[in-house]
Amino acid sequence: PQAEAQFYGSAALGAAQPYGDFGDLADLGITFRGQAGISFWFADVHLQTGVTSFTAAEDASEGEDDNLKIYHAGAGARVGLGFLWVGANAAYFFGDGDDGIGFFPEVGAKFWRLEAVADVRVDGDEKWAAARLGFRF
């Protein structure tokens, strides 16, 4: 049988925990990510965009607006078999943090149209780990 590509979209919501020096400045946050991609037999490629919003840590708060919103737009790929995958993403980050390119590996699982994904931003001054639950359509 010939494998056919399938187009998909997804939307996911979850929590993000800052770590490193950024963990001293921000508390647990909320993260949203949307993706559009094309899936092959055991791999997919996608474009994505999202926002992660943190509340400034109590001892780091200086102004009236204690929320830090960091946006991103990027691309990535996943490989896997069955319901588990690993992937990597590159994105341009902008907003209340330092603007620039960042990388974040991910792991995930899919059951029917539900996805669970965890990723970690591994570079830049604003580092965090996130876990999301999403719907794939």
Side-chain angles (χ1 to χ4, degrees):
Q2 185 176 1
E4 291 186 28
Q6 295 180 350
F7 292 96
Y8 72 90
S10 70
L13 183 67
Q17 178 63 52
Y19 69 92
D21 291 340
F22 190 48
D24 296 335
L25 302 175
D27 289 329
L28 183 68
I30 296 172
T31 181
F32 172 80
R33 177 170 79 180
Q35 290 184 334
I38 185 167
S39 180
F40 303 97
W41 181 54
F42 64 90
D44 81 32
V45 294
H46 55 263
L47 299 175
Q48 69 180 36
T49 188
V51 60
T52 304
S53 179
F54 299 98
T55 302
E58 192 171 317
D59 55 348
S61 178
E62 295 177 6
E64 293 178 22
D65 185 7
D66 293 337
N67 292 325
L68 306 167
K69 287 192 172 85
I70 301 171
Y71 302 89
H72 80 272
R78 298 174 175 173
V79 294
L81 289 174
F83 65 96
L84 299 174
W85 77 80
V86 295
N89 301 285
Y92 182 75
F93 289 87
F94 57 99
D96 293 330
D98 290 335
D99 294 353
I101 301 285
F103 301 96
F104 45 108
E106 68 180 11
V107 295
K110 178 181 160 202
F111 176 75
W112 185 65
R113 294 188 176 273
L114 298 178
E115 292 183 325
V117 63
D119 59 27
V120 178
R121 182 162 180 206
V122 296
D123 57 4
D125 291 334
E126 293 88 23
K127 295 181 177 115
W128 65 84
R132 289 176 210 79
L133 185 60
F135 185 76
R136 189 167 170 154
F137 47 91

